[in-house]
Each structure stands twice: as structure tokens, then as C-alpha cells.
Amino acid sequence: MLINYQLMIQTLQTKIETKSLSVVDYGKSSILKTLAYFDIFNYPLIKEEIQQFLETSIPQNKLETLLQQLVSDRIIFLHNSFYSLQNNPLLGHRRKQGNKRAQHLLLKAAKIGRFLYGFPFVRAVGISGSLSKNFADEKADIDFFIITKKNRLWMARTLMHLFKKITFLFGKQHFYCMNYYIDEECLLIKDKNIFTATEIKTLLPVNGSQTLLDFLEANSWADDWLPCCDARQQKKKDPKTMWLKKIIEWIAENKLSNRLDNYLMQLTSLRWKRKEEKGLRNKKGLTMGLITGKHFAFSNPGAFQEKVLSIYEEKLTVLKLS
């Protein structure tokens, strides 16, 4: 979704050369930062979403006034209720189409998430990525955030990814993108920035309500970045734990399982390191990468997070907000 960002930066630079932002007040600055972040993904926002993702609270009447001023000064643009840094009405059309596709995929994602929750050692499942923000392009995956039992992350991940191999036979693998794992020992996300704060606040809970509440409490630092954005609430009650899951977890309560978990971590880390060394790419053409540790494992294809943050900082520099 990082489309032609160099052109965007050039367009912004031209705009700023004719419109000085050095005297923009804090409210306008907050609005522009919000739009700049979502502009990375070519995603225009409605007024209510801007208010939700602001770095500081702004009363609704004040927000409307500031938006009108920014539009009047042609620093931002308004097309069919969508605000953007780009003067491109097609972005609104693209967003509407993506929102429509997302509604269909979200129903499927919720069912799959409840299925994944039934795997041994899994304590919580949430929907992440663009789908959690109600958007899906033509090649959208369904991304999942998984929290596992303490010291059983690698056993859980191995079992789940063995199942995923079966989905390749039916061409359904893109519905089972289990991209981010942490366990109960390490609920705190160490990368404290606008990217991770947005992912935390927009995570869609599927199952594991108490574990997810513990996760949000451990990452309350996200409120510093997005104080106006409330975390999502789980809509359905957790199902009863299946007897097979209980039996497998009971059998695995021993030192041998601890060693097995460590071995699977080392084996997986080595395999992914070889993929990176070979420069292997995923279906989207991004270099494959997996960041691993005893209590976490998450994919970062093409250093995606770093790229997003770099573009964001560049946009803020152009807007004279950094």
C-alpha cells in the first residue's frame, strides 16, 4: 500500500513552499500529523476518524473550524466527506471499495480467528493489519495477532503453521496469515511508536478477552500516542475450552516440552535466517523476514515498519512538524 510515496513528498514540498506552516497552531499540527500517517497508505479520513486518531483532544466545533481553514488554505483537501493531503478524489473511491471488500472478509476472519483459538496453548486471537482498519484491497490477506501460553509460543506456532501448510493445497493460505505472536510472559510491545500504537488501538479482538485486556493494560503507553482512540472490545463471549486442547496442554506440562519449545525456536529462527540470506521474497515482492525471540515472533517483510516510520518522518519534515 506504500504507493508512489516519493511523488507524494514532492507534491507536499511544492505545496509547503507556497503555504507557510510555521505559524500553524497545535490543533492544526495534530490534524496534519494524523492525515500524514494515513496518507502513507493512500487512505483519506472522515472527520470522526481524524478526531479519533489525533495526538491531542480537540472539541468537535473547534475541529470543524480548523478543518475548514486547512481546506480553505489548500493545505488539505476534502472530497466526498474524505480529508486528505492529496488533491485526488479517486482516493475516496478506492477507500469505499476497500471498505466494502473488508466487510465481507471480516466475517470470514472472525470465523477463522475462533477456529485458531482452539489450537493448544493459544490464549488470545485478534485481527490485525489493514483489515482491522476496515480496508481490504484486491490482494488482501487476513492477518492475525496471537497470544500464547507462557513458554509455549513456539509449540503453538509450529502446530498452527503445520496446519497452514494444508491450506496451501486449497489456495486459502492468505486467509491464515498468523504474522505476530507473543506469549503471556512478554505482553509489552517494546517498539513504542505511532505504527505500533495504531496497531494496538485498532486490533480487533476475536477470542481471549481477559488475555487481551491484560495485553492492553501492559501497553497503556499507546494512550500517549493516541489518547482519543479507544481500544476495540470483544463482541462475543469466549467459547469453552475443548477437551482435546486441555489434554494436549496437560501432557505438555513438563521439562521436555520446555526443551522442545526452545528447539523449535532455534530451528525456526535458523530457517528464516537462511531465507533472508538468500533474499527470498513473498508474493508481494517484499524480502522475507521474521524477528524472533523466546517470547515473540513477528514477520517484518521488507522492513515494513521501519519504512512506514521513515516515510512518516519525511512527511512531517516537509510539513515542518518535526
Side-chain angles (χ1 to χ4, degrees):
M1 295 176 65
L2 306 179
I3 306 171
N4 294 329
Y5 70 87
Q6 294 96 340
L7 181 59
M8 295 181 202
I9 296 297
Q10 293 174 3
T11 302
L12 275 174
Q13 185 67 62
T14 302
K15 189 188 307 180
I16 300 308
E17 287 175 355
T18 58
K19 298 287 184 180
S20 175
L21 292 179
S22 59
V23 295
V24 170
D25 63 29
Y26 190 69
K28 290 183 180 178
S29 171
S30 185
I31 291 171
L32 290 172
K33 286 181 179 179
T34 300
L35 290 175
Y37 183 78
F38 285 91
D39 194 58
I40 296 170
F41 310 98
N42 288 325
Y43 196 77
L45 301 177
I46 60 174
K47 178 182 62 181
E48 290 76 13
E49 290 168 338
I50 294 174
Q51 191 163 40
Q52 180 183 16
F53 289 100
L54 289 172
E55 66 178 8
T56 184
S57 178
I58 299 177
Q60 184 174 347
N61 58 344
K62 176 65 173 178
L63 176 64
E64 292 176 350
T65 299
L66 293 175
L67 287 170
Q68 290 173 3
Q69 292 175 358
L70 288 167
V71 171
S72 178
D73 291 340
R74 295 186 63 78
I75 295 173
I76 67 174
F77 300 92
L78 174 63
H79 295 289
N80 297 320
S81 300
F82 293 117
Y83 292 91
S84 174
L85 295 180
Q86 302 181 57
N87 187 16
N88 183 359
L90 293 179
L91 292 181
H93 175 73
R94 173 181 176 272
R95 170 179 165 160
K96 287 181 179 179
Q97 293 298 312
N99 293 159
K100 187 181 297 185
R101 282 189 292 267
Q103 289 305 302
H104 171 70
L105 275 182
L106 280 169
L107 296 175
K108 185 183 293 293
K111 292 180 180 179
I112 295 173
R114 288 191 287 271
F115 169 73
L116 296 176
Y117 182 68
F119 273 77
F121 315 114
V122 172
R123 294 295 178 264
V125 177
I127 301 168
S128 59
S130 63
L131 193 57
S132 69
K133 299 158 191 65
N134 194 36
F135 183 85
D137 60 22
E138 296 86 349
K139 299 180 180 179
D141 297 325
I142 299 180
D143 298 320
F144 290 102
F145 174 81
I146 313 288
I147 302 177
T148 73
K149 182 179 179 179
K150 175 182 176 181
N151 295 327
R152 292 295 181 266
L153 184 153
W154 292 98
M155 291 176 66
R157 185 184 183 280
T158 300
L159 287 171
M160 297 173 84
H161 279 258
L162 284 173
F163 166 79
K164 183 176 179 178
K165 290 185 181 297
I166 299 174
T167 68
F168 278 86
L169 299 175
F170 305 96
K172 302 294 184 181
Q173 67 275 9
H174 55 288
F175 291 151
Y176 295 85
C177 295
M178 298 160 284
N179 292 331
Y180 208 120
Y181 285 82
I182 60 174
D183 75 6
E184 295 172 312
E185 177 73 10
C186 188
L187 295 177
L188 176 65
I189 303 297
K190 294 182 180 180
D191 293 327
K192 299 178 181 180
N193 53 56
I194 184 62
F195 179 88
T196 49
T198 302
E199 294 305 306
I200 290 169
K201 290 284 191 172
T202 58
L203 183 69
L204 279 175
V206 177
N207 281 140
S209 56
Q210 186 55 55
T211 301
L212 287 168
L213 287 174
D214 293 341
F215 167 74
L216 292 173
E217 183 178 353
N219 292 280
S220 59
W221 60 264
D223 292 336
D224 297 334
W225 290 86
L226 300 171
C228 306
C229 185
D230 295 327
R232 273 66 176 290
Q233 301 297 314
Q234 185 173 315
K235 294 182 179 180
K236 294 186 177 182
K237 292 183 178 180
D238 293 332
K240 292 183 179 179
T241 304
M242 294 185 293
W243 61 268
L244 180 59
K245 178 175 180 176
K246 289 182 178 179
I247 291 175
I248 294 174
E249 292 186 2
W250 176 74
I251 294 174
E253 281 296 326
N254 53 64
K255 293 182 179 180
L256 180 61
S257 293
N258 293 337
R259 294 174 183 173
L260 177 60
D261 196 78
N262 290 333
Y263 170 75
L264 291 172
M265 176 190 68
Q266 295 169 1
L267 182 65
T268 306
S269 299
L270 179 61
R271 187 165 64 88
W272 276 87
K273 183 179 180 180
R274 289 172 178 170
K275 288 183 179 181
E276 292 180 42
E277 291 174 348
K278 292 179 180 179
L280 298 182
R281 298 177 179 272
N282 61 19
K283 67 176 184 178
K284 296 182 180 179
L286 299 174
T287 304
M288 301 175 71
L290 185 72
I291 299 175
T292 62
K294 174 58 178 174
H295 305 291
F296 60 86
F298 57 92
S299 60
N300 190 27
F304 183 76
Q305 179 181 158
E306 292 80 359
K307 186 177 293 185
V308 168
L309 293 174
S310 176
I311 297 171
Y312 180 61
E313 286 301 319
E314 191 172 356
K315 284 179 177 288
L316 295 188
T317 299
V318 171
L319 288 166
K320 300 182 180 178
L321 297 174
S322 60

